[in-house]
Amino acid sequence: MPTLVNYCGDDELYHGSSLDLGRLYTIGSNIDVYYPPTKRARITAPFIFDRIQDRKPSIEVLPDECLFEIFRRLPSAKERTSCACVSKQWLMLLSSICKAEIERNTSFGDIENISSNEDQDIEGDGYLTRCLEGKKATDVRLAAIAVGTSGRGGLGKLSIRGSNSVRGVTNHGLSAVAHGCPSLRSLSLWNVSSIEDEGMSHIAKGCHMLEKLDLCQSSSITNKGLIAIAEDCPNLTTLNIESCSKIGNEGLQAIARFCPKLHSISIKDCPLVGDHGLSSLLSSASELSRVKLQALNITDFSLAVIGHYGKAITNLVLCGLKNVTERGFWVMGVAQGLQKLVSFSVTSCGGVTDASIEAMGKGCTNLKQMCLRKCCFVSDSGLVSFTKAAGSLESLQLEECNRVTQSGIIGALSNIKTKLKSFTLVKCMGIKDIDVEVSMLSPCESLRSLSIQNCPGFGSASMALVGKLCPQIQNVDLTGLYGITDAGLLPLLENSTAGLVNMNLTGCWNLTDNIVSALARLHGGTLESLNLDGCWKITDASLLAIAHNCLLLNDLDVSKCAITDAGIAVLSGARQLSLQVLSLSGCSEVSSKSVPFLTKLGQTLLGLNLQSCNSIGSSTIELLMENLWRCDILA
């Protein structure tokens, strides 16, 4: 039979299909049909076309229940993914099918005998990672991820940061993930206020393998959502909660009851979390090894619980605990429960005093790393007592501890002279430059790394003293010590018998070419990295010394130094040098004449910084970029 001409409706009429025009004639009386012997029918039927155009496309005719039964009988993930591309309706429907609901015994041929990897599902072990940020975070994208990853190893890690302001992620999006991603092991939700307890319940019911949960600024999730996770996700090992105003003690108590494998917790700025919830969690989680508590309304009681029950804790971070007093830290130390503690960091806690820090040193016998930030009540006496008690200490960092002076530093280095490997001072304003006789002090033979940053009172006398006490030093960072001179730094260079490897002198603007020449002469055989950023007294003479003496140097920063084209020429002529990173930022006397020398250096360079080199034109920069195509050039 002839087919309709210029038909524009649904897709039920395929090429070569026929239509019973007699049936159409009975629908209305104003139809003019002409039957040429061998041509298609010509129809003038406005009424009929109105009726046909009002009909839904066939893609929307079948109810969801029928589509659901069809989709779950598709033999492979590849075919289900193809169907998901047809329409948003099909995508959302496919995302609602649980893996357990997919029919394996299909009637579409002998599917079970197909061995091709393209036509078989890969059982999800959670190999894939997906991250949605900002405008990309929508329910439709989550549904697409859930359907698309099901046959490609399974989604193992999902991170959602922010949300689309118009079509943001909701509980429906997490429901799709829960249905399609049973292998999910890590879920991170940052600043997604539209997700509520219902979404967390979906995840709990569908993702029993969940091991890590990270909630940040999730203001709509309450204890109910966390309880659901606790009850259905017994494999949870890591829990991070930050700025969740509706999560409190009840949620933590549920985690304590149902998650015996928990080994890491981080709780920050949650006003409803108190001693009851935290103590339940700390006393029940026998495998808990990493604990971070910040800006919480807890008291001495919680720290006492840590001291008694934290037998497995190896890493402990405490920040901004305003209600914890000296007694809490003291009890935590004397309780003798933190025998496995290796790393301890305390920031802005008024309860850290000389007495409490000494107790912690005595109670944490295996402590290797200690960091004190903004502990304004710790003085020389407490520091010396602590280092004397903590016999296993390998790394000590003090930041903004303004009661610590040069005397405390010398005493600490003398007490831990056989174990300490790294010592760091940052913005400790109490240190003043005084001359001390060091002939009676034993050197700290074990120290390898020394970092003293932005301590304005730390001058040449202090530097000379530290240099004599640390003969095995290899890594030195003296950022911002504008008070030290060549004479102050020279003892450190002369007494270092191990050979300096990394030297950072950023902002030490009193140093001259003389000290760089001494450094190159004494340690040129071991020096690998040298930073002279902001040392404006450094000239081409330093580059000459480096070119003649440094054999292993691969990273050189002479930004804002008095370097000229002549210095770059000398540097490029050093056959033994194989520089990988060179920074000339702010060297205004380096001009386009240095292009041949930079090109020669570019044979080994991976990074070149020419920012604020105003004497080098843009065309020259473009030429360098073309010639040094393997090198990352900043200009």
Side-chain angles (χ1 to χ4, degrees):
M1 296 287 294
T3 56
L4 289 174
V5 178
N6 296 327
Y7 176 68
C8 56
D10 56 40
D11 57 353
E12 290 180 336
L13 299 180
Y14 299 93
H15 180 69
S17 63
S18 61
L19 181 66
D20 189 347
L21 297 178
R23 293 182 59 189
L24 286 178
Y25 185 81
T26 62
I27 296 176
S29 58
N30 58 342
I31 302 177
D32 179 20
V33 181
Y34 173 67
Y35 288 93
T38 59
K39 294 184 178 181
R40 294 181 179 180
R42 183 183 65 198
I43 301 176
T44 305
F47 175 75
I48 269 303
F49 279 112
D50 288 341
R51 291 286 300 272
I52 292 177
Q53 289 174 349
D54 287 342
R55 296 175 61 184
K56 291 183 178 180
S58 62
I59 196 174
E60 299 178 7
V61 168
L62 290 177
D64 288 350
E65 293 79 6
C66 293
L67 287 173
F68 181 90
E69 292 300 324
I70 294 172
F71 290 155
R72 79 184 189 92
R73 285 172 168 79
L74 292 175
S76 72
K78 180 180 179 181
E79 295 182 358
R80 289 190 294 275
T81 302
S82 298
C83 289
C85 298
V86 172
S87 71
K88 179 180 176 181
Q89 178 195 4
W90 284 25
L91 169 63
M92 301 307 292
L93 186 59
L94 278 161
S95 69
S96 68
I97 302 176
C98 295
K99 200 162 188 176
E101 295 174 325
I102 296 175
E103 181 64 53
R104 295 298 179 184
N105 299 319
T106 72
S107 59
F108 302 127
D110 192 9
I111 299 299
E112 294 181 355
N113 293 329
I114 296 178
S115 58
S116 172
N117 289 332
E118 295 184 31
D119 296 327
Q120 288 185 321
D121 286 350
I122 302 173
E123 289 301 325
D125 286 327
Y127 297 117
L128 301 179
T129 297
R130 295 292 183 268
C131 180
L132 296 180
E133 296 185 10
K135 295 181 179 180
K136 295 181 179 180
T138 63
D139 285 346
V140 174
R141 285 186 179 270
L142 281 182
I145 288 173
V147 175
T149 60
S150 61
R152 293 176 173 82
L155 184 64
K157 183 177 180 180
L158 175 62
S159 177
I160 304 174
R161 302 189 177 189
S163 183
N164 190 301
S165 58
V166 179
R167 300 181 304 276
V169 173
T170 67
N171 298 326
H172 296 294
L174 281 195
S175 176
V177 172
H179 282 95
C181 308
S183 61
L184 188 68
R185 286 181 167 85
S186 176
L187 176 63
S188 179
L189 303 176
W190 288 18
N191 192 23
V192 189
S193 59
S194 53
I195 292 181
E196 303 167 332
D197 293 335
E198 180 185 347
M200 300 306 295
S201 297
H202 289 311
I203 292 294
K205 293 176 182 178
C207 306
H208 301 296
M209 299 171 66
L210 191 69
E211 297 176 357
K212 179 179 178 180
L213 178 62
D214 185 1
L215 302 176
C216 180
Q217 298 180 5
S218 300
S219 57
S220 299
I221 298 176
T222 70
N223 286 321
K224 183 179 178 181
L226 193 58
I227 291 172
I229 292 291
E231 292 177 344
D232 290 324
C233 302
N235 293 322
L236 194 69
T237 61
T238 303
L239 176 64
N240 299 327
I241 307 175
E242 179 179 345
S243 302
C244 295
S245 58
K246 296 181 180 179
I247 293 179
N249 293 330
E250 294 180 10
L252 295 185
Q253 288 169 345
I255 294 291
R257 287 195 302 271
F258 300 109
C259 301
K261 297 181 180 181
L262 191 70
H263 69 74
S264 176
I265 62 167
S266 176
I267 307 175
K268 176 182 177 182
D269 193 23
C270 296
L272 297 183
V273 172
D275 289 327
H276 293 293
L278 201 56
S279 59
S280 297
L281 184 60
L282 294 169
S283 60
S284 301
S286 59
E287 297 184 13
L288 196 61
S289 62
R290 303 178 69 90
V291 177
K292 181 178 181 180
L293 307 175
Q294 183 172 355
L296 300 178
N297 296 322
I298 60 175
T299 66
D300 297 342
F301 181 76
S302 292
L303 264 66
V305 173
I306 293 176
H308 281 89
Y309 295 98
K311 300 185 184 301
I313 295 179
T314 59
N315 295 74
L316 179 61
V317 179
L318 304 176
C319 304
L321 304 181
K322 305 298 183 182
N323 298 326
V324 178
T325 67
E326 178 186 62
R327 180 178 178 84
F329 283 95
W330 184 84
V331 171
M332 184 175 68
V334 300
Q336 300 291 319
L338 296 173
Q339 297 297 313
K340 292 185 178 180
L341 187 64
V342 174
S343 177
F344 187 25
S345 177
V346 186
T347 302
S348 301
C349 292
V352 178
T353 63
D354 290 344
S356 60
I357 195 177
E358 181 181 3
M360 288 186 287
K362 292 178 179 179
C364 307
T365 56
N366 289 306
L367 188 64
K368 297 184 183 301
Q369 300 172 7
M370 182 65 172
C371 178
L372 297 175
R373 293 189 181 96
K374 299 181 180 181
C375 295
C376 56
F377 297 114
V378 175
S379 67
D380 293 342
S381 175
L383 180 62
V384 172
S385 299
F386 169 76
T387 53
K388 187 176 181 180
S392 300
L393 198 65
E394 296 180 357
S395 175
L396 177 60
Q397 179 174 344
L398 305 176
E399 184 173 340
E400 295 187 48
C401 297
N402 296 328
R403 291 194 179 186
V404 175
T405 69
Q406 189 190 67
S407 177
I409 302 301
I410 295 172
L413 292 177
S414 300
N415 283 336
I416 42 182
K417 56 189 176 183
T418 60
K419 293 289 185 69
L420 191 67
K421 297 179 180 179
S422 175
F423 182 61
T424 301
L425 283 178
V426 180
K427 297 181 181 178
C428 292
M429 303 302 175
I431 297 177
K432 304 299 180 183
D433 225 17
I434 55 175
D435 290 322
V436 178
E437 179 58 47
V438 296
S439 58
M440 301 299 294
L441 299 175
S442 301
C444 185
E445 299 282 354
S446 59
L447 194 67
R448 297 293 183 271
S449 296
L450 175 66
S451 179
I452 305 174
Q453 303 175 32
N454 300 309
C455 298
F458 200 98
S460 293
S462 301
M463 193 71 254
L465 178 63
V466 171
K468 293 176 182 178
L469 287 175
C470 308
Q472 299 296 317
I473 202 78
Q474 292 181 313
N475 306 294
V476 179
D477 186 349
L478 305 178
T479 298
L481 299 191
Y482 53 81
I484 61 172
T485 62
D486 293 351
L489 188 56
L490 187 60
L492 185 143
L493 303 184
E494 292 177 338
N495 286 284
S496 178
T497 58
L500 292 174
V501 177
N502 299 296
M503 195 78 174
N504 188 349
L505 300 173
T506 299
C508 300
W509 45 263
N510 270 319
L511 299 180
T512 70
D513 292 327
N514 294 331
I515 199 64
V516 176
S517 298
L519 174 63
R521 184 181 70 255
L522 295 173
H523 301 281
T526 58
L527 193 65
E528 296 179 6
S529 174
L530 177 59
N531 192 334
L532 299 169
D533 186 1
C535 299
W536 51 269
K537 294 182 180 180
I538 300 300
T539 68
D540 294 338
S542 292
L543 295 188
L544 179 63
I546 290 171
H548 287 168
N549 297 285
C550 293
L551 305 177
L552 303 176
L553 191 67
N554 58 62
D555 190 337
L556 176 62
D557 190 340
V558 287
S559 299
K560 297 186 284 293
C561 294
I563 303 299
T564 69
D565 297 330
I568 305 300
V570 170
L571 202 62
S572 67
R575 295 183 178 180
Q576 80 282 3
L577 270 183
S578 296
L579 282 177
Q580 296 182 2
V581 179
L582 176 62
S583 180
L584 302 172
S585 176
C587 295
S588 57
E589 296 186 39
V590 175
S591 68
S592 300
K593 295 179 181 180
S594 292
V595 170
F597 314 125
L598 292 174
T599 303
K600 187 175 181 180
L601 287 169
Q603 295 176 1
T604 59
L605 282 180
L606 300 177
L608 176 61
N609 188 351
L610 298 176
Q611 290 180 315
S612 301
C613 291
N614 299 325
S615 298
I616 301 180
S618 57
S619 58
T620 302
I621 298 293
E622 292 177 0
L623 178 62
L624 279 173
M625 289 183 174
E626 183 178 346
N627 293 335
L628 306 181
W629 56 271
R630 294 182 180 179
C631 179
D632 186 10
I633 300 178
L634 295 178

